Amino acid sequence: MITLREALSIDRLKKLESLTGQIGFDREVKGVTIMDIPDIVNWLSDGEVVIAGILFEEYFSFQMVDSLLGKNVAAVVTKKKFIRNLSPDLMSYCKEKELPILLAPPDYSWAEIMNPLISYIAQKPYRILEKTQQFHATMMQAMIDGSPLPEICNRMKDISGYSFAVMDNEFNPVGCSSDFDWRDLTRNVSTESPNFTQVNFPSNPSADICIYTYSTASLRAEHKKAMLFPVIINHESFGYISWITDQSVDQSNPLDLLRIQQFGLFVALRRKMQKEIHTETRRFNGLLLDRLLDSPKTRTQQKCEDLLSPLGKQIASTYCAVQILYPKAKDKVSFSKRNNALNCFHDTIESNLPNGKQILIYEQEDAQTLFLPCPVQYLDAQVRQIRSFFCQTTNIVHIGIGVSDPTPLPEINTALHQAKRAAQYLIYQKTDKPYFYYRDLGILKFFLDRNGELDDDFLRSQYDKYITPIRAHDAQYHTELFRTLELYLEQNCSKTATEKVLFIHKNTLRSRLQSIGNILHLDIDNVEDLFRIQIAMKLRFYFERDT
């Protein structure tokens, strides 16, 4: 499409003067005609620039303005000597109806206006094709050079003048020009939003280009809106290309649409290639870690490093495992979407964590295990970040995260086992905790089955047998038997040390210990009985964790 504004940028037409200001300059110009007959309207076509002399002087009227507008005329060109009878009211009417009136210089012939305009209109498709070919060459060179998407978006900005971004299917920006805060714009984008609407731009007689518009309060304040072009190749969606344009723009020009369509092909090709590279890299990394985890514990640090050397990472001597457990994908479509999301998760980890490039990631169907090289500064903060990144990139919120103890690399299987037990325990308990440390399981780790589940009935029976009776006795008779037993065990069953801590006489301590034995029906000095009490005292933290 050629607008009147664009036509007036032609060197020979720059001297034309507009009597009506810049109103109507966005009208489309499709042709030009010279005519000075009264019934000119019957001979006009849509989008023509009308060049008139005597006609304008003798017949130009309110009725003719309406007739010209009815034919969707782009503009009227005349000369100063022919506007002597143009009344102020008629001029105001032209402005009101947004019909541009242009004055040619006195020394111009009509041919000096018509010929450059016709030539420009005729050559426009070839110029578009030439610029499109240049743009295509630029995109292909960027592909060959391996230029990152943010750099490509900045190139698009330089070429078109628009701020550009590439988004995934969840509207997360994966590359954007640096002149606009795209993350702030896309934070709440949703196809369900009333600010998200579909428009169709004509592409050819048999098809339209489907584009969406999106607006926010901040964009409206600047009289702007976002356009979103869905990148779909062979029924596979590769996300969106978005750009910022004026709120008043209803149609994009053909050159911009061709560029965006070509950019879409480039994005699809690049994202397809990146997806395949990421997937194969993850599979390869998994095979190496499989070999490491299946290797005997007798393997040395050096042999482990040699095995993992193809990863291209700096291998540490000690690792802490963080396992994320989540539901399995239900079908092939869900699996494909999750695969894309996990690619994004891995990229996010590598790009945003201080030690991200050195983290080893091991995958299973329902788990992601990250081996963090030790020592880990601010471990709690990193685990929280990992959880946040996973939920944001995958949209999975019902997860369990377990954290292992620091473990030497040759024994990394132990770290995996510990993290899994802690994650399973967290899921089993159905708590709101964001993650759970294996070390915090305490004695409970000896009572977990392979699924991280506890035998609650057995544990409760031990608690009720050895803890509840003493608690009840203290409550009823206001004694301190439980506190005495607790300190006695803390002092390694040393009566002398316990007497000093409690500031009591040795006979008082003996009396209390005898009372405890009588209540529990056991001998406090018997090693077997004492072991049962110790286990019960450890288990009390499981049943009293909410008090």
Side-chain angles (χ1 to χ4, degrees):
M1 182 180 79
I2 299 174
T3 64
L4 181 61
R5 190 185 312 279
E6 185 181 353
L8 293 178
S9 67
I10 301 171
D11 287 340
R12 197 62 183 161
L13 303 186
K14 287 181 178 178
K15 292 185 178 181
L16 268 63
E17 175 190 352
S18 175
L19 287 180
T20 50
Q22 293 196 357
I23 61 165
F25 272 29
D26 292 323
R27 287 179 175 274
E28 184 177 6
V29 177
K30 297 181 180 179
V32 58
T33 187
I34 302 174
M35 200 171 292
D36 268 329
I37 59 175
D39 58 347
I40 183 175
V41 173
N42 298 329
W43 306 92
L44 294 179
S45 300
D46 178 62
E48 284 193 301
V49 173
V50 177
I51 299 176
I54 300 299
L55 169 74
F56 197 90
E57 183 179 29
E58 296 185 1
Y59 299 105
F60 197 70
S61 63
F62 289 94
Q63 182 180 0
M64 180 168 283
V65 169
D66 291 337
S67 299
L68 292 173
L69 291 172
K71 285 289 188 175
N72 198 24
V73 164
V76 176
V77 180
T78 187
K79 293 187 178 181
K80 192 170 185 179
K81 64 182 180 180
F82 298 120
I83 64 169
R84 289 171 296 189
N85 296 329
L86 183 62
S87 68
D89 289 344
L90 186 52
M91 177 62 71
S92 297
Y93 189 66
C94 289
K95 291 181 179 179
E96 178 187 338
K97 295 297 183 178
E98 298 188 356
L99 176 64
I101 306 296
L102 307 174
L103 293 182
D107 59 338
Y108 266 36
S109 67
W110 292 143
E112 288 179 279
I113 299 170
M114 182 174 68
N115 291 342
L117 188 52
I118 290 175
S119 176
Y120 187 85
I121 294 172
Q123 292 177 8
K124 181 67 180 285
Y126 299 101
R127 287 195 302 275
I128 290 176
L129 180 60
E130 182 182 0
K131 289 182 179 180
T132 301
Q133 288 174 334
Q134 292 173 352
F135 178 77
H136 178 77
T138 301
M139 290 292 103
M140 287 301 100
Q141 189 60 50
M143 176 71 78
I144 294 170
D145 294 342
S147 302
L149 280 175
E151 181 181 325
I152 302 301
C153 288
N154 280 322
R155 289 193 195 181
M156 288 290 293
K157 164 70 170 61
D158 294 338
I159 292 171
S160 66
Y162 303 125
S163 299
F164 266 90
V166 177
M167 307 176 189
D168 61 20
N169 289 313
E170 284 70 44
F171 303 103
N172 301 306
V174 294
C176 51
S177 56
S178 56
D179 62 319
F180 187 79
D181 187 0
W182 282 96
R183 291 196 178 277
D184 180 65
L185 173 70
T186 60
R187 189 166 290 123
N188 298 311
V189 176
S190 168
T191 55
E192 304 300 322
S193 168
N195 295 322
F196 191 95
T197 56
Q198 178 178 331
V199 293
N200 291 316
F201 291 105
S203 174
N204 56 59
S206 62
D208 287 342
I209 298 177
C210 174
I211 297 180
Y212 300 93
T213 65
Y214 182 73
S215 181
T216 63
S218 58
L219 282 177
R220 287 192 292 271
E222 298 181 16
H223 305 289
K224 301 284 187 181
K225 63 183 176 183
M227 312 289 285
L228 295 97
F229 172 71
V231 181
I232 302 173
I233 308 295
N234 294 330
H235 306 291
E236 183 176 358
S237 176
F238 293 92
Y240 298 84
I241 293 172
S242 183
W243 65 101
I244 304 298
T245 187
D246 291 336
Q247 200 170 36
S248 59
V249 173
D250 292 327
Q251 289 190 350
S252 293
N253 65 59
L255 179 57
D256 285 341
L257 290 176
L258 281 172
R259 284 172 174 167
I260 290 163
Q261 285 179 297
Q262 284 197 313
F263 190 31
L265 291 172
F266 170 83
V267 168
L269 180 60
R270 185 179 182 83
R271 296 204 68 198
K272 184 78 171 178
M273 181 176 66
Q274 287 180 329
K275 175 184 172 182
E276 295 300 326
I277 291 174
H278 286 181
T279 301
E280 291 306 315
T281 300
R282 285 166 46 202
R283 186 176 290 118
F284 177 70
N285 292 353
L287 290 173
L288 289 181
L289 288 168
D290 264 333
R291 288 184 61 190
L292 178 66
L293 292 166
D294 289 341
S295 65
K297 292 184 179 180
T298 55
R299 182 171 297 213
T300 64
Q301 172 75 20
Q302 186 58 53
K303 288 184 177 179
C304 291
E305 291 183 15
D306 292 342
L307 176 63
L308 298 178
S309 60
L311 296 179
K313 298 176 182 285
Q314 182 179 341
I315 305 301
S317 60
T318 308
Y319 284 88
C320 183
V322 177
Q323 182 165 92
I324 307 171
L325 288 176
Y326 48 86
K328 296 180 181 178
K330 297 180 180 179
D331 49 49
K332 289 185 178 179
V333 174
S334 299
F335 180 82
S336 178
K337 288 183 177 179
R338 180 167 295 177
N339 187 56
N340 294 337
L342 290 175
N343 281 335
C344 185
F345 170 63
H346 289 202
D347 285 344
T348 304
I349 290 295
E350 185 169 314
S351 304
N352 292 278
L353 289 184
N355 55 347
K357 294 184 182 298
Q358 309 310 325
I359 292 174
L360 309 178
I361 303 182
Y362 179 66
E363 298 185 68
Q364 295 162 288
E365 190 177 2
D366 60 348
Q368 297 281 310
T369 305
L370 289 76
F371 294 103
L372 311 184
C374 296
V376 184
Q377 280 192 320
Y378 313 112
L379 179 58
D380 278 356
Q382 281 213 15
V383 176
R384 286 182 181 275
Q385 278 187 299
I386 289 169
R387 188 185 198 283
S388 175
F389 293 154
F390 184 83
C391 294
Q392 288 174 9
T393 55
T394 65
N395 289 324
I396 302 174
V397 293
H398 299 296
I399 61 177
I401 298 182
V403 185
S404 77
D405 298 332
T407 307
L409 177 60
E411 302 172 22
I412 200 170
N413 212 342
T414 300
L416 176 65
H417 177 73
Q418 289 180 356
K420 183 176 182 179
R421 296 287 289 274
Q424 289 172 327
Y425 172 74
L426 189 61
I427 291 176
Y428 172 70
Q429 289 301 305
K430 299 179 181 179
T431 70
D432 294 329
K433 290 184 178 180
Y435 51 88
F436 197 83
Y437 284 95
Y438 179 75
R439 65 170 181 259
D440 291 338
L441 284 171
I443 198 169
L444 292 179
K445 65 186 70 169
F446 299 110
F447 298 96
L448 289 171
D449 63 18
R450 287 188 175 183
N451 297 319
E453 298 183 3
L454 292 163
D455 188 340
D456 274 337
D457 293 338
F458 170 74
L459 297 182
R460 171 58 74 176
S461 69
Q462 300 303 300
Y463 180 84
D464 289 341
K465 184 175 182 179
Y466 297 107
I467 303 298
T468 301
I470 302 176
R471 292 276 200 196
H473 187 280
D474 282 345
Q476 183 176 358
Y477 299 104
H478 305 289
T479 54
E480 296 185 2
L481 297 183
F482 186 82
R483 176 63 175 161
T484 301
L485 178 59
E486 186 177 39
L487 289 174
Y488 180 63
L489 296 174
E490 287 180 5
Q491 300 305 315
N492 294 317
C493 301
S494 169
K495 293 183 174 65
T496 303
T498 307
E499 292 161 9
K500 290 181 180 180
V501 173
L502 288 172
F503 299 103
I504 59 175
H505 191 270
K506 61 181 180 181
N507 292 334
T508 303
L509 177 61
R510 289 192 180 93
S511 175
R512 290 184 182 182
L513 293 177
Q514 186 175 357
S515 296
I516 291 170
N518 293 337
I519 293 170
L520 299 179
H521 306 291
L522 50 74
D523 182 359
I524 201 74
D525 293 320
N526 181 277
V527 175
E528 189 68 27
D529 288 344
L530 192 60
F531 177 70
R532 293 193 182 96
I533 293 174
Q534 285 178 308
I535 290 179
M537 290 293 281
K538 295 287 186 182
L539 292 175
R540 82 181 192 276
F541 293 110
Y542 172 64
F543 292 104
E544 298 174 7
R545 61 187 183 276
D546 297 327
T547 61

